Amino acid sequence: MRKSGILFVTLFKGMPMEQVQRLLGHVKIGTTLRYAMVNQTNVKMAHRKYLT
């Protein structure tokens, strides 16, 4: 599974961001947040495409 997929699944299920950061091996929380922000955009686009 790609890092962005791991991030999405773990955050969606409620894992704290700091733990996700360690799981992915990111030194800076900003790196993890960048993945999360990109993922949120993808979720919004998918929602519009498939659920509306």
Side-chain angles (χ1 to χ4, degrees):
M1 183 179 284
R2 292 176 44 193
K3 281 188 175 185
S4 58
I6 292 169
L7 178 112
F8 177 75
V9 170
T10 55
L11 289 178
F12 183 75
K13 292 188 175 197
M15 183 180 241
M17 183 66 73
E18 294 81 6
Q19 292 179 11
V20 176
Q21 173 191 3
R22 287 185 163 221
L23 177 69
L24 297 177
H26 296 157
V27 175
K28 298 180 181 180
I29 192 77
T31 305
T32 310
L33 289 170
R34 188 172 352 134
Y35 276 98
M37 291 178 155
V38 169
N39 251 348
Q40 186 61 31
T41 301
N42 291 338
V43 169
K44 288 179 184 179
M45 289 189 307
H47 179 269
R48 280 190 220 112
K49 182 176 180 180
Y50 298 109
L51 299 175
T52 56

